[in-house]
Amino acid sequence: MPRAIRGVLIECDPSIKAIIMKIDSESHHFVVEELDDQTLVIKENMLGELKRRLDDQLRDTQQPPEDSGSD
Amino acid sequence: MSVSNLASFEYLEKLPGTTFKKLYKQPSTALAIFRRMLPHLGKDLVPYLRRPVDIVQERPLQRDEALSTLSRLHIITVTAPSRDEPQVVSLTPAFGKSLRLALTGGGDHQSFGVPSSDAGTANLDIPFLDEYARSQWEGILHYVVSNVADGSRHGGPSPSSGVKELLELGNLVSRGKRVYGGITQAGFSFLLQEVNAQVWTLLLLWIENAERLEMVAVEVLSFVFMLGSLELGRAYNIRTLKDSERKMLPNLVDCGLVYIPQPTPNQFFPTRLATTLTSDASALRSVTAGFDSALSAGAGTTGFIIIETNYRLYAYTSSPLQIAVLALFTKLTTRYPNMVCGRVTRQSIYAAISHGITSEQVITYLSTHAHTQLLKAAAAKGGGPVLPPTVVDQIRLWQIENERMKSTPGFLFKDFEDQKEYEACLKYADEIGVLEWKSDAKRIFFVTKMEQLRDYIKSRKGK
């Protein structure tokens, strides 16, 4: 009998997936199943938290370009 | 069919049969559902169904659709197909009786309201009622918006705490989650809807949460349907209402659906918001058009936004509501008596997105409210896009920048016994259009819905 697992399918770049795996390695609260380089399934209730943690991680590495132009 | 129609319709279909039985006791409900909710073929069918009849043979596709709608609303019962007798359709007794009463005007049910004949009931004029409904409703909309756009002056009346609670329950505004609460994605969609759809959204929220507010959902629903059958500008007697219905009145007054004049608290006036609830779509459109122009008071026409290729935005409006909406996704800089100026910037779009408003919603808002000059310019170029393409593209890009992953809720299927089972299930999932991702090597796949697939797997096991 096949099994069905509830979750959220995440499709992203390999680099983003690596960061998600790094976040998950601290607590193992997020990832249900790794599927391949660009896809994984995470717990449904953790999506918001994961997005927040991902934003935190990326804020340090990416510099948003300055808004040019004046009013 | 309009959007509001669909929303209320979906809610009704989910109700259990016993609820319908109670609902159909009121002739006004039966008539309202008949008038408003049915597809045309369904309407044609109902009068023939006073006695049980064989299923008609023409137009099978539309016929089946109409019949299934009718039976989901518990208006008809269809006998199970069997070899000996043809399938027979008949009206459910409760609906049939009430509809007959409604159409012939017989009985002593008072479900269409009782006009008040008290002394001193000079009928209020319709413009006054319209103005009252508009100001109440704009107050609610303004609350939804101004939750975010702090610093904007609040002109209209503030909605009551009951309405505020409803908006929160319905997730149209959120409080406390972030540093400052605010409008949600659902809230912004709510703003973009036409007034009638907005009223239905709020009423459905109310009905869904009726128990929490110590009311019975069925009673609220049938009262709402009754309001829809009343006449605009006419006074109705409060004393003939049931106790439970009297308790609902203050809420309806808050929303501007009903007006109770101070000197004569025993009568109420339904406003245009209430009387158009269940009316025909065509009648509705002209009314909402009237409302829209009323809502954009000061602007004169519905279109008031000009946006240039350099992201500058000029909005010819003095309505605090519209300015507050614009402030959700624009960096406003200058305000003149009849217009505001600002720029759409990366930061302002990010701020909107962080509230859950999507770029598509912003673009829809801008293009539906585009100034006639923009429309003229587009028409002169041979019907090109109304908004400058560079701006539209950039707004979309700003959103994508922040979306680093695509998420789809659903179910992962794994541990299939053999290749054959995997392939059969995969094929079925693909056919019903729920397949999202698969890996043949690992024999796993991901679907968005599982009910049908689960039944399919069970039926395979049963073989």
Side-chain angles (χ1 to χ4, degrees), chain B residues 229-352:
Chain B
S229 65
L230 300 182
E231 200 182 316
L232 182 66
R234 181 175 260 237
Y236 288 88
N237 202 329
I238 288 183
R239 266 171 290 185
T240 57
L241 296 178
K242 288 184 224 139
D243 278 348
S244 55
E245 293 174 340
R246 237 174 281 171
K247 258 198 274 171
M248 298 171 208
L249 277 177
N251 287 308
L252 294 169
V253 171
D254 291 340
C255 303
L257 265 72
V258 165
Y259 175 72
I260 301 179
Q262 286 296 338
T264 51
N266 275 323
Q267 45 180 240
F268 69 93
F269 291 83
T271 67
R272 206 182 285 279
L273 287 176
T275 54
T276 52
L277 273 177
T278 57
S279 64
D280 231 6
S282 57
L284 184 86
R285 216 167 287 141
S286 60
V287 171
T288 34
F291 245 111
D292 273 349
S293 62
L295 278 176
S296 57
T301 51
T302 39
F304 61 93
I305 296 173
I306 288 183
I307 184 156
E308 294 180 335
T309 48
N310 56 6
Y311 308 104
R312 278 183 202 211
L313 183 141
Y314 308 93
Y316 289 88
T317 179
S318 54
S319 147
L321 176 65
Q322 284 168 341
I323 294 173
V325 172
L326 281 174
L328 290 175
F329 56 85
T330 326
K331 188 179 163 200
L332 295 176
T333 46
T334 325
R335 181 167 177 186
Y336 299 106
N338 68 337
M339 104 175 191
V340 286
C341 303
R343 262 167 64 89
V344 175
T345 67
R346 175 201 294 270
Q347 262 85 27
S348 70
I349 294 291
Y350 272 11

Side-chain angles (χ1 to χ4, degrees), chain A residues 1-5 7-12 33 35-36 39 51 55 58 62 65 67-68 70-71, chain B residues 312 343 346-347 404-417 421 437 442 444 446 461:
Chain A
M1 191 72 176
R3 281 201 298 149
I5 306 168
V8 179
L9 186 76
I10 302 285
E11 290 164 85
C12 56
E33 184 115 10
L35 300 177
D36 62 26
T39 19
K51 272 191 182 156
D55 279 343
L58 288 169
Q62 287 185 337
D67 243 333
S68 58
S70 59
D71 289 302
Chain B
R312 278 183 202 211
R343 262 167 64 89
R346 175 201 294 270
Q347 262 85 27
R404 301 190 180 90
M405 52 195 193
K406 183 183 162 223
S407 56
T408 326
F411 301 88
L412 184 71
F413 277 79
K414 57 190 255 184
D415 299 344
F416 289 93
E417 274 162 22
E421 187 186 33
W437 180 89
K442 291 185 184 170
I444 45 182
F446 193 89
K461 289 284 157 195

Side-chain angles (χ1 to χ4, degrees), chain B residues 28-45:
Chain B
S28 56
T29 312
L31 185 66
I33 290 189
F34 175 74
R35 276 208 310 194
R36 184 71 203 279
M37 308 290 173
L38 298 185
H40 290 302
L41 186 60
K43 280 186 199 169
D44 289 347
L45 282 172

Side-chain angles (χ1 to χ4, degrees), chain B residues 9 20 24 29-30 33-35 37-39 42 45-46 49 66-78 89-96 99:
Chain B
F9 192 56
F20 275 101
Y24 288 152
T29 312
I33 290 189
F34 175 74
R35 276 208 310 194
M37 308 290 173
L38 298 185
L45 282 172
V46 168
L49 293 173
L67 285 179
S68 83
T69 310
L70 289 174
S71 68
R72 261 176 295 161
L73 290 171
H74 296 265
I75 290 172
I76 55 166
T77 47
V78 184
V89 183
S90 55
L91 280 188
T92 51
F95 182 83
L99 185 64

